């Protein structure tokens, strides 16, 4: 796998003004001249990740774009997607997990694993992953899309939610759809998965068929939900996301 260096800021990635990724020499210059939130390397996956706490000193030679846009631009490059997904996920984890959850001591780097270890009680802390389901529901030729209350984008997307303790993924599909829309589903089929580091989700993609019920919104979660023609959808997620793949029948 090719070695790559990523410069990240919040939910954005730093690129050169022409849209290409910084070369290694530029990476080191950015690291020296900007406030660093976190820096790490992982030899087995070929990544170097620099997290910045500010981009005010970057200058006109660089620009930032949302990571979601970067994913869309590289939707056909599995290697770069894996590396940047992993880099962002590990950056989130390293910034937020500095102390032992058992005894409160500051954690050390584990000498062999991608993990941190407590020097006092020897508890090992691994990167955190939150499993979620995302599901496209069909009713004949129509698909169910919803506008989510918590999204910062005015788009329609699939029903999604976290898997709760004790649940199977299929149970979570049934529960989330019923809780958010009042609909019962059948023929739940697994379609694929995707890392989604905002901050640490693993999205498990499903399709399901409408079985019964009319749409009744859980207004804390959704502002709207409707049945749409797959070929005449409202604004929806961009390429690079598993939601896009489900909506457009790519998986």
């Amino acid at each position: 796998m090719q070695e790559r260096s990523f410069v990240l800021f919040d939910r954005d990635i730093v690129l050169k003004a022409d849209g290409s990724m910084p070369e290694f020499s530029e990476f080191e210059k950015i690291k020296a001249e900007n406030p660093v939130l976190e820096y790490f390397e992982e030899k087995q996956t070929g990544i170097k990740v620099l997290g910045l706490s500010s981009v005010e000193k970057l200058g006109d030679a660089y620009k930032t774009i949302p990571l979601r846009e970067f994913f869309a631009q590289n939707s056909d490059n599995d290697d770069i997607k894996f590396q940047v997904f992993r880099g962002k996920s590990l950056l989130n984890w390293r910034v937020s997990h500095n102390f032992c959850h058992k005894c409160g001591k500051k954690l050390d780097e584990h000498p062999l694993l991608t993990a941190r270890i407590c020097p006092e009680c020897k508890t090992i802390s691994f990167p955190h992953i939150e499993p979620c389901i995302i599901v496209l529901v069909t009713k004949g030729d129509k698909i169910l899309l919803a506008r989510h209350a918590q999204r910062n984008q005015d788009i329609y997307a699939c029903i999604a939610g976290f898997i709760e303790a004790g649940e199977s993924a299929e149970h979570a599909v049934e529960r989330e759809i019923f809780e958010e829309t009042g609909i019962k589903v059948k023929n739940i089929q697994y379609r694929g998965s995707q890392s989604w580091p905002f901050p640490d989700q693993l999205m498990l993609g499903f399709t399901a068929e409408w079985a019964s019920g009319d749409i009744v919104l859980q207004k804390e979660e959704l502002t709207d939900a409707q049945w749409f023609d797959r070929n005449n959808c409202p604004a929806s997620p961009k390429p690079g996301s598993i939601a896009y793949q489900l909506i457009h029948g790519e998986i």
Side-chain angles (χ1 to χ4, degrees):
M1 189 173 293
Q2 180 182 337
E3 292 187 359
R4 292 185 174 92
S5 302
F6 300 105
V7 183
L8 305 177
F9 169 68
D10 194 21
R11 298 167 73 92
D12 296 344
I13 186 168
V14 176
L15 302 175
K16 294 164 68 172
D18 64 4
S20 61
M21 293 177 60
E23 303 293 337
F24 181 72
S25 59
E26 297 170 295
F27 182 86
E28 290 296 308
K29 186 173 185 289
I30 293 171
K31 182 181 174 184
E33 296 179 354
N34 291 270
V36 175
L37 178 66
E38 179 71 56
Y39 172 76
F40 64 93
E41 301 179 12
E42 192 178 51
K43 292 182 179 179
Q44 64 267 36
T45 57
I47 59 173
K48 294 181 174 66
V49 180
L50 172 61
L52 300 181
S53 57
S54 170
V55 292
E56 293 181 359
K57 297 182 178 181
L58 274 178
D60 295 338
Y62 304 97
K63 66 177 182 178
T64 62
I65 67 169
L67 271 169
R68 291 171 185 259
E69 183 177 332
F70 183 78
F71 297 161
Q73 293 174 0
N74 293 276
S75 60
D76 295 329
N77 190 326
D78 290 338
D79 283 353
I80 199 169
K81 282 195 302 181
F82 164 71
Q83 288 176 315
V84 74
F85 283 154
R86 184 164 179 81
K88 176 58 176 168
S89 294
L90 292 180
L91 175 63
N92 293 339
W93 170 71
R94 292 174 67 88
V95 169
S96 61
H97 290 75
N98 290 298
F99 297 92
C100 179
H101 64 275
K102 284 191 175 180
C103 70
K105 293 290 184 180
K106 186 171 176 60
L107 297 170
D108 292 335
E109 300 296 330
H110 194 284
L112 300 175
L113 305 173
T114 300
R116 285 177 164 169
I117 186 168
C118 178
E120 183 70 23
C121 68
K122 306 305 179 184
T123 296
I124 299 175
S125 297
F126 291 94
H128 189 68
I129 298 173
E130 292 276 4
C132 302
I133 57 90
I134 181 167
V135 56
L136 185 76
V137 183
T138 60
K139 184 180 183 183
D141 294 332
K142 302 291 185 180
I143 60 174
L144 179 67
L145 298 178
R147 190 164 57 200
H148 295 263
Q150 306 303 319
R151 277 188 179 271
N152 57 7
Q153 297 172 302
D154 188 20
I155 64 173
Y156 281 78
C158 306
I159 302 297
F162 291 97
I163 300 174
E164 295 185 357
E167 285 189 318
S168 67
E170 291 78 8
H171 185 277
V173 167
E174 292 180 322
R175 176 185 54 77
E176 283 287 346
I177 293 170
F178 184 72
E179 285 180 354
E180 295 190 6
T181 69
I183 290 171
K184 294 283 190 179
V185 295
K186 62 183 179 181
N187 194 24
I188 297 169
Q189 299 289 326
Y190 173 73
R191 297 298 181 182
S193 64
Q194 179 183 48
S195 172
W196 197 245
F198 297 108
D200 50 21
Q201 288 96 311
L202 173 63
M203 307 301 298
L204 305 178
F206 291 85
T207 56
E209 297 175 5
W210 174 86
S212 64
D214 297 320
I215 296 174
V216 179
L217 297 180
Q218 184 183 26
K219 294 187 177 180
E220 298 85 0
E221 296 291 335
L222 303 180
T223 59
D224 190 26
Q226 299 181 43
W227 297 103
F228 293 96
D229 187 318
R230 193 189 292 267
N231 297 317
N232 188 27
C233 292
S236 57
K238 295 180 179 180
S241 67
I242 194 169
Y244 179 93
Q245 292 177 298
L246 287 167
I247 290 169
H248 294 274
E250 294 184 356
I251 58 173

